[in-house]
Amino acid sequence: MRRTLFLSIALALQVTATATAAEPSRLAADAIASQPLDMALNALSRQTGLQFVYNAQIAGNPRTPAVPAGLTAEAALDRLLAGTGLRYRYLNADTVTIETASAGNEPTSGVVAPMAVADAGAAPLQASAGGVASSTQNLETIQVTGSYSRSLEQAVDLKRANIGFSDSIVATDVADFPEQNLAEALQRVPGVTIERNKGLGTKVNVRGLPSEYTHVSINDLATASGSGGRDVEFDMFASEIIQQVTVQKSPTAADEEGGIAGSVKITTARPFDYKERKLVLSAEGAHNSISEEVDPRFAFLAADTWGDWGGLVSYSQSRRTNRTDSTSGINFRPMSRFLSASGTRGTQAQDVLARDAGVTITDRNDTDETNLVVFQDKVGDRVYLNEQDKWGATASLQYKPSSTFSLTFDAMLGGYDSTEDEYDAAAYSASSRSTLDTIHEYDATTLSEYGMVVLRDVSYTATQHEMLSKERINRTDYSQYSVALDWKGQDWYVDAMAGYSGAEKTSDFSNLKHVAYAPSRTRWTGRSGETIPSTPGGFDMYNASDKYLFEAYETTLEKVDDDKYAAQVNVTRMLDLAFLPALRDVKFGARYTDRSKQRQYGELKITGPTAGSSAWVNTRTLADSPLQSIGDIVPGGDYTIKDLDWQQVSNDYARRAFRYDGFYTPFDAGQFYQVDEKVMSLYAMTDFAFDIGQVPVNINAGARYVDTSVTSFGYHPIQRPDGSTGYTDTPVSKDGSYDDLLPSFNLTAELAQGLLLRAAAAKTMMRPALTDIAYKRTASWSSYRFTDGNPELKPTYAKQWEVGLEKYLDNGALFAASYFRKNIDGVVINSFTGVVEDVAVYNANGTLNGIFDFDVYQPVNAKGSYQVDGVELVAQLPLGMFHPVLEGFGVNANYTVLDSSLAGESDLGIRTPMPGLAEKTWNLTAYYENDRFDARVSYNHKDEYVESIGYDMYPIWRDAYGQMDVSIGYRITDNIKVSLKGINLTNEITSGYTMDPSFPTMYEASGRRISLGLRADF
C-alpha cells in the first residue's frame, strides 16, 4: 500500500478534557486532488494543522474525491469520506480519528463533530473514545525515508494539485541523482532540454525556446545572474542545497511575469519541513576518464525545531576537473574571402576555381555568386581543461507559533570559480595572406539544391598556422536574502515577501598567440578535418616551434554586477456566498521590483616586455618559451581524438612571463552599459469550484497588470577636431517604458476517477535582452553609421494555450498527454531606425572631411509572429502494480515533439528550424529499489538542432545527443548509505556539421565520470 512522507499520526493518545472552547474552524486553503485517503489526509493536515489517527489496516485506503479550496476542515472531511463507509471523530481540538462508521457506540450514520470538552482534571474519555485509544496502540507509522520512487510520487502529487500545467522534481530526485549541477537535474523534466558546454550542462531551455525565454526564481525571488543578459547560469547552483524545483508552464495571474517558455521555481529547505531533528552528511569522490583526476564533493544539512522556532543550515562544496579533447572549428567560409581580394590573390583564386573545379566566376565582387562556393575556414585540434570550485550554502530561521502563522528568514550564498585552459594547434585557411593553390577534390552534388559547390580538399599558398594558449578565469559570487510572512485567519490569508538577490561575476581571459605562414593542404576527414604540409615550403605544423613567431598576448576583462530588490504581498479572501456557491475565493496582490545591472568590458594586447613595447612581435618565437608536451601540460596523458602530440606554452607560465609589472586590462568606455529597471505589478484572480453532473471542475481566472520603466546608460563615441576619437565624459542616458495587461485562465475537470482534463490559456511576455536595451553607441566614421541600443524596446509576447489529459493511478502511476501552442510576436531584430543629421567628420590630420548624415541602426520589435507547437507525453509506472514479483521496479519516461514556423535567418534563403530548437527530446529512467538497495538507469536524448547560422548564410547543426547515467545505492544501516554513480557511461561524443553530415565541424569527447559516495542521515 502506498504511503506518504508523513501522515501526522499520533501513536500515543492521552485525551484529557480542558475548559477551553474548541478552536475556530480551520480552513483548507488549497484544493485537494482526488487521490488515496492517506495522501488526502496528509494534504489536509498540512493545511489545517490537524493530527489524524488512522489505522490503514482496518479502514483501508480508498480513493477520495477532489476537494475544492476554501472549505472548513469539517466540510473537507465530509467530502473526503463521502461514500467510503468511514467517519471522523475529534478526540481533542487538534486530533481527529478516522474510523469505520460502525466503530464505538455512536450511530453509524453521519460524523461526530468536535466534541465538547470538560475540565482539565476530568477523567479520560469513556466508551468509544477509550475504544479508539486502545486500537491506536499498534498503529502503523506511515513514514518513508528518502527514495527515488517516493520523490516521483511527490512530484506527481504536486503536478496533480497544481491548477495549471507544471512538472516538478523534489529533494531526493535532485540531491541523490548522478547530476553535476541543477541544470542537469532539470533535463529530466518533460519539455526541458539543456545546453552543454564541454560535457557540462549550463543553461536550461523550456519547450525548445532559448534560455533567456525562461524566468527563474529562488524562494519567489527572481534570480540574479552573472551573465550579461537575463538568462541564468544554472551550473553555478549546487543541486544538494535545493529542496524542490517546479517548472510552471502555464501561469496564473499571481505568477511573476517574464517567461514566455515557462518559469523555473526553485525552493530551498526550511526547518519546519521536517517533523524532527535532521542531520544529513554526504561525501563523494568522482573520477573523470580523460583527465584521470579524482574530485571531492561534500555536503551537509542540519535542521531542528524548538518550540515555536526552527533553524536550518546547509552547505555544499565540490571540485570538478574535466578534460575535453576536440577537433573543431571547421565551418564554411564563402569564397568571397579570396575572390574579392585585390591583386593576384583574387585573380589566382578565380583561375584555380576554373582550372580545378570547372567553376567560372563572372564577377568576383558579386557576393550572390561568390557566397555559393565555400571552403574550410579553420581546422584545429584542441584540448580543454576545466577546473571548477563550487560552494553553496543556505540558512533558514523560522518562527511558527501556530499552524496559521509563520515568519521566515532565508539566505542563500554561493561561489563559483572556474578556470578553463585551452590549448590549440590550428590552421587558418582563410588568412589574409593566402589564396587558392590547388583544388584536389570538390563537391558539386551534395548541396546542389542550393547551387553550392564545396571545396573538400585544397592546398593554400599561405595558411596561417597558430599555436594558442588560452585561459579563461571566471569568478562568480551569488547571494540572496529574503523575509517571508504567512498568516491564515478564518476567512483571510496573507503572505508577504521582501528580499534581495545579487550576483557579481568577473571574467579574465587571455590568449597567447604564435603564428607561422606557410603553404599547406586542408581537407575533411571522417570525423572533422586535418591540415598537412604542402610542398615546397610547407612544414609539420605540430613539430616546428622555431617557425612560430610571437604575435600577441591578448587579454580581456569583463565585470558584471546584478542587483535585484523585490517586495510582494498577496491577500486571499475565502468566500461562501449563498447566491454564488461556486465562487471559492478572491486573491489579489502587488509586487515591486527594482533591478540594476552594470557591465564593464575591456581588452588589451601585450606585444613586448613593457607597456607600449612591441619588441617581441616577429622576433620572439614559440621555442623561446619553455614548452611542454600536450600530454604533460594537462592531466590524463595523450590526445585522445587523433594520434597526435604537440608542444605548447602552459598558461601558468604565460601569466607569469607575459604580464609585466603593473599590467592591467583597462575597461573600454564604449563597452560599458548600465540598465536600471523598475516594475510595478498588480493582479487579481479568483477560484471557482463546482460540479457538472458528477464531474468536479476547478477554474482559476485572473489578470496581471505590469508597469515597467527603464533607464539605460552608455557612453557615446565622439570625434575631436584634431581627428582623434573618444567617448563622452559621462554616460548618456535614455528612458523607456511600457505597460501590459496579462490575462490567464486555468481549468481542471475530473472526468472520471483519476482522469483529469486540464486546460490553460494566457498572454505572457519576455522583457528585452539587456544587451539590446543598453544605451551604448558604436560609430563607423567611414560608413557614416551609428549602432545604438534601444531602451524603448517593448517585450516579446506570446499568446498561448494548452490542453491535456492526465490519468492518475494508485501507487503513483501517471499517464499524461498535452498539446500546446504559442504564438510569439515582437521578436527583436536589428533595423534602420533614423538619421542623425549634420555630423562633422574629421580626417586623421584634423582637417574637416565633411558634414554627413549618419544612419542609425537599433534593435526593434519585428512585425508579425511565429508559432511553436508541441506535444508532451509522460508515463510514470511503478511495475509492482502488475504483479508482486515486480514490486520495487518502475519506469519514468517523457517525450516531447516540437515544431516551429520560424525559419533560420539564412541570407541564402536556406530554410532551417529555429536555432536551438530540437524537434524531439525524450527521457527514460528505469529503477528498482527496496529497503536496502536501489538502482537507476537514465537515458536523456535530444535530437539534432541548428546551433547557429555561420556568416548569416550556412546553418551549423549540432548532432543528436544521448547520454546514459546510472546510480546504484546500498543502505548499510538505516542511517548510512553508500552509492556508486556514473555520468555518460557510454562515453558519448558531441559532434556537429555544416548543412550536411558529410561536412563535419566538430568532434568533442568529455569522457565518463564515475563517483563513489557515502551519505549519513540522522
Side-chain angles (χ1 to χ4, degrees), residues 302-492:
D304 198 5
T305 58
W306 51 95
D308 299 337
W309 290 88
L312 179 147
V313 292
S314 73
Y315 180 82
S316 172
Q317 185 166 5
S318 64
R319 179 175 177 83
R320 180 180 185 270
T321 305
N322 193 69
R323 174 175 157 181
T324 298
D325 291 0
S326 170
T327 174
S328 60
I330 317 140
N331 297 322
F332 284 179
R333 187 69 182 257
M335 190 52 66
S336 54
R337 171 65 174 172
F338 293 147
L339 291 172
S340 62
S342 58
T344 58
R345 289 181 63 222
T347 56
Q348 180 169 327
Q350 185 177 26
D351 293 341
V352 171
L353 279 170
R355 182 194 71 198
D356 295 342
V359 176
T360 301
I361 301 297
T362 58
D363 184 351
R364 290 193 290 115
N365 294 309
D366 181 5
T367 55
D368 290 339
E369 184 178 8
T370 60
N371 287 342
L372 296 178
V373 181
V374 297
F375 64 100
Q376 288 178 310
D377 187 358
K378 189 175 186 178
V379 175
D381 293 289
R382 296 171 171 82
V383 173
Y384 301 88
L385 180 67
N386 187 283
E387 297 176 298
Q388 300 174 2
D389 287 294
K390 182 189 308 183
W391 70 272
T394 67
S396 182
L397 181 64
Q398 207 169 2
Y399 174 62
K400 192 172 183 180
S402 70
S403 62
T404 60
F405 179 84
S406 70
L407 183 65
T408 307
F409 168 77
D410 291 309
M412 182 175 177
L413 303 172
Y416 179 52
D417 298 339
S418 171
T419 299
E420 183 177 83
D421 295 310
E422 177 185 344
Y423 298 100
D424 292 8
Y428 183 40
S429 306
S431 79
S432 58
R433 303 183 186 182
S434 188
T435 191
L436 302 180
D437 180 81
T438 304
I439 300 171
H440 303 282
E441 182 183 354
Y442 66 93
D443 184 340
T445 58
T446 303
L447 301 178
S448 59
E449 63 178 301
Y450 307 111
M452 294 177 61
V453 176
V454 183
L455 308 185
R456 283 190 174 272
D457 186 350
V458 180
S459 291
Y460 302 92
T461 59
T463 297
Q464 179 177 314
H465 299 84
E466 301 174 343
M467 287 289 178
L468 309 175
S469 298
K470 300 180 181 180
E471 182 182 46
R472 301 173 180 87
I473 301 175
N474 296 319
R475 302 282 185 266
T476 303
D477 293 312
Y478 176 83
S479 60
Q480 177 172 307
Y481 308 95
S482 63
V483 176
L485 177 147
D486 291 276
W487 173 79
K488 298 179 181 180
Q490 185 168 351
D491 297 317
W492 292 90

Side-chain angles (χ1 to χ4, degrees), residues 1 147-150 152-153 811 877-892 925-937:
M1 180 177 294
S147 68
Y148 179 67
S149 61
R150 180 58 205 143
L152 294 178
E153 292 176 5
N811 301 318
L877 199 59
L879 300 179
M881 63 187 298
F882 296 111
H883 194 280
V885 75
L886 297 176
E887 188 67 35
F889 288 94
V891 175
N892 178 30
T925 298
Y927 64 89
Y928 170 76
E929 61 185 15
N930 57 32
D931 292 341
R932 293 293 180 190
F933 176 79
D934 63 79
R936 300 190 293 277
V937 179

Side-chain angles (χ1 to χ4, degrees), residues 125 162 172 283 306 398 401 409 558 669 707 726 800:
L125 290 171
N162 199 333
T172 303
W306 51 95
Q398 207 169 2
F409 168 77
E558 180 183 43
D707 184 36
Q800 62 185 48

Side-chain angles (χ1 to χ4, degrees), residues 509-668:
F509 170 77
S510 60
N511 178 22
L512 176 61
K513 187 174 184 180
H514 289 83
V515 299
Y517 292 90
S520 72
R521 179 177 177 180
T522 297
R523 59 193 177 193
W524 265 285
T525 64
R527 289 179 172 178
S528 53
E530 64 176 359
T531 297
I532 57 177
S534 290
T535 55
F539 64 89
D540 181 358
M541 61 177 284
Y542 299 96
N543 294 287
S545 58
D546 60 323
K547 297 185 181 297
Y548 285 86
L549 297 175
F550 175 91
E551 181 172 289
Y553 181 78
E554 304 168 335
T555 69
T556 65
L557 183 66
E558 180 183 43
K559 188 174 187 297
V560 175
D561 292 286
D562 189 5
D563 296 289
K564 297 182 181 181
Y565 298 87
Q568 177 169 313
V569 61
N570 303 303
V571 179
T572 302
R573 176 67 163 94
M574 309 304 299
L575 299 173
D576 186 9
L577 304 176
F579 66 90
L580 189 56
L583 180 60
R584 297 300 184 179
D585 62 62
V586 174
K587 188 173 185 178
F588 52 91
R591 185 183 185 98
Y592 177 76
T593 61
D594 187 341
R595 175 183 189 175
S596 179
K597 178 166 276 195
Q598 184 183 97
R599 186 249 195 180
Q600 300 179 80
Y601 178 89
E603 56 187 36
L604 186 71
K605 288 185 177 181
I606 296 175
T607 53
T610 59
S613 171
S614 59
W616 289 337
V617 177
N618 294 329
T619 61
R620 184 182 177 114
T621 70
L622 181 64
D624 292 329
S625 297
L627 302 178
Q628 292 178 266
S629 168
I630 199 68
D632 297 328
I633 203 171
V634 295
D638 294 342
Y639 185 54
T640 60
I641 301 296
K642 301 176 182 177
D643 184 19
L644 286 175
D645 191 16
W646 66 94
Q647 292 190 324
Q648 289 197 221
V649 181
S650 74
N651 283 316
D652 286 341
Y653 174 82
R655 177 172 284 270
R656 295 193 307 269
F658 293 98
R659 297 195 177 202
Y660 48 77
D661 290 341
F663 163 81
Y664 71 97
T665 303
F667 288 125
D668 178 8

